[in-house]
Amino acid sequence: MARILVVDDERDVVTLVGFLLKKDGHEVVAAYNGGEALEKLGLEPPGSGPLPNLVILDVMMPVFDGYTVARRAGEAERTRGLPIVMLTAKGMTRELFEGQMNVAAVLEKPFDPQKLRELVKSILKP
């Protein structure tokens, strides 16, 4: 199946999302702040490791927030086409992500686990 990078500073969220995705056969890579996410994407420092097929990215995090990570991923040739699902706190507006070509979807926390699984499946369809 797919390799998915899950980025959230709340370890419980990473554990839950990882459990759901592994249940569907995906490989899960975890990062707990924006700096780790940029490292695992090979953007800071520049690298050439394997890229995930999808990123699930929290907005509010230390080091770099989700906006910054999504913007940097969208600007870099290496990650420009990489789909991102943004996890937002309830009440954050989706309009903040308009113009981010690599943001495939926005999901509010707390999220329905089944909805997340269906969303991932639809984004990863060949």
Side-chain angles (χ1 to χ4, degrees), residues 14-85:
V14 174
T15 300
L16 171 64
V17 172
F19 172 79
L20 295 169
L21 297 174
K22 287 176 184 175
K23 190 172 174 179
D24 290 336
H26 301 295
E27 175 187 351
V28 176
V29 178
Y32 300 99
N33 63 59
E36 282 185 39
L38 291 175
E39 286 175 23
K40 295 195 179 197
L41 291 171
L43 298 178
E44 196 170 285
S48 60
L51 277 176
N53 303 96
L54 174 68
V55 177
I56 298 177
L57 179 64
D58 186 27
V59 175
M60 303 303 290
M61 296 181 296
V63 185
F64 294 107
D65 61 22
Y67 301 112
T68 302
V69 174
R71 179 182 51 78
R72 297 266 311 269
E75 292 171 350
E77 185 176 331
R78 173 178 166 77
T79 52
R80 189 168 293 133
L82 182 62
I84 297 175
V85 173

